Amino acid sequence: MTSTTDLPAGASTDASTDASAATGKGLARVLGPAGGVLMVLSCITPASSLFIIVPEMMASQGSGVVLTVIAGIVVSVAVGACYAELGTRVASAGGEYAMVTHTLGKGVGWLTFALSGVLLWLIPPIIALGTADYLTDILTIDRGLAAAVVMLLSAGIAILDVRSNAFVTGIFLGLEVLAASVVAVLGVFHLQRGPGELVVPHVVGEGAVNPFTAAILVSGLTVGMFVVSGFGTAAYLAEEIVEPRRNVARVVFWSLGLGGVVILVPTITTVLAVDDLGALATGNFSEFVRAWGGDATAVAVNLGIAIAILNAAIVMVLQNARVVYASGRDRSWPEPVNRAVTRVHARWGSPWVATLIIGIPGAVLAYAIDIEALLGITSVVISAMYVVVALSALKVRRMESAAGWRMPLWPLPPLLVVVVVGYALLSSTGTDLAITGALLLGAFVYYLAYLARKPEDRFIVIDPTDDPVLAD
């Protein structure tokens, strides 16, 4: 099905057909739901969230971190419902920008691509920077160098065919889940308090134990959501998932559910197992594991975390390359660039140029630039994208579109996302909002100066769902 979104009256859709033809063979539908779940769950990288993000939450949330993570997962289910409904109606590798273009128009769709572009190039190297921290037990290496190596290795693996990547990431994911399971089991054997602490939690502040309040939960809710973020990348694989009108939704919710369990269970056992609640504010999982299981166990778990980071980087590079590929297929750039980014490897069926465009700059960013300073901007961008996707989910029911999964209780889930995530967005720092605004202004100038000048020939966002390329 080819979109004619925002085409002027009388305009031809031949440009869309040409854009599709220019991609050559295109991406093949070879991923079943299980393979899709393995890859998206690897992108969520639950072990990395558990060992890196949850300890930071514990410092401010105390034993209430469990309730905050649960609340974050609940809101994420609402976000996932928006992605699932839109992703089954517009099953394009363009992900968010394709969904938004088909519902809110080309202008908003292009601005959404600009937002996603920040995440495409910044999130993988930021994640990769954590690798060196978990290798200190066996070697000392510069953080930037280790991250650059991870990015280049990830790009090399991501160029392989998507089924091979699903196999590799599945193995790594198994090791990642094993590391999280070790924490959960050790916690069970060292319980210090009962489950009542989960219902009536506390925080430690200024040397005193204080009750956990709703205000404290709200302050950590955004981070609680980001603990399981990544499930929406199922949309990036939509052109390679078999029967996407049905299976994209399955991949979204299975990935979100499994990722939530892998993160939540060890968090619960840790809260109940630490010697005193003050340890939650100052400790981390590596210290807890070392205290409960000894040095050898701690080293093994740290290696599992390093593997989880590599696994996440591989999948992020692979999935993000699909968005770059889709942008060229949809004629977002001058024609030489479109031809380059839509090149598909003859043997592996992967968009290899787009993969290198993600991987190589990511290695440079990780090695040469303090990109961790941009974490605040990435939070603003993710929040803004969630709000725009939710607005699209509110509008899509009022439009004629392809049949797809329909969320229950509509329009409550997207309204919940707009209110909760919108509040978090407005609470961001002025600097981060200003930088994001400047980015959107630059993207809008490009849209007006180039894309909007020939709307019948540029930024033709197609939905290839009904024209699948079969695997050889």
Side-chain angles (χ1 to χ4, degrees), residues 21-73:
T23 65
K25 180 181 178 181
L27 302 177
R29 297 199 185 281
V30 295
L31 274 181
V37 169
L38 287 177
M39 301 198 71
V40 175
L41 190 55
S42 296
C43 186
I44 294 175
T45 182
S48 294
S49 294
L50 175 67
F51 286 90
I52 297 173
I53 301 177
V54 171
E56 295 182 5
M57 295 180 65
M58 287 177 171
S60 61
Q61 304 285 306
S63 60
V65 65
V66 174
L67 293 181
T68 304
V69 170
I70 291 174
I73 292 173

Side-chain angles (χ1 to χ4, degrees), residues 111-122:
L111 295 181
T112 303
F113 175 80
L115 291 173
S116 67
V118 174
L119 305 180
L120 298 183
W121 276 278
L122 288 186

Side-chain angles (χ1 to χ4, degrees), residues 460-471:
I460 308 299
V461 181
I462 67 171
D463 178 0
T465 308
D466 298 327
D467 301 299
V469 178
L470 299 178

Side-chain angles (χ1 to χ4, degrees), residues 132-229:
D133 298 336
Y134 293 95
L135 296 176
T136 54
D137 290 314
I138 57 175
L139 62 91
T140 301
I141 184 173
D142 178 76
R143 295 181 81 238
L145 178 60
V149 171
V150 166
M151 289 301 303
L152 294 175
L153 182 59
S154 298
I157 296 174
I159 288 177
L160 299 176
D161 68 89
V162 71
R163 280 184 292 196
S164 296
N165 271 280
F167 177 75
V168 171
T169 57
I171 294 175
F172 285 172
L173 181 63
L175 297 174
E176 179 178 347
V177 172
L178 179 61
S181 301
V182 169
V183 176
V185 172
L186 288 174
V188 168
F189 283 99
H190 292 81
L191 294 178
Q192 302 293 323
R193 56 192 56 83
E197 184 64 35
L198 304 176
V199 180
V200 186
H202 300 84
V203 294
V204 177
E206 300 180 355
V209 177
N210 303 309
F212 179 77
T213 64
I216 296 175
L217 186 151
V218 171
S219 70
L221 184 56
T222 302
V223 182
M225 290 174 54
F226 294 158
V227 163
V228 290
S229 66

Side-chain angles (χ1 to χ4, degrees), residues 322-343:
R322 270 59 181 172
V323 181
V324 175
Y325 162 88
S327 73
R329 190 266 316 283
D330 295 338
R331 293 192 167 190
S332 305
W333 316 106
E335 199 54 35
V337 178
N338 292 334
R339 287 197 298 268
V341 300
T342 53
R343 291 186 182 276

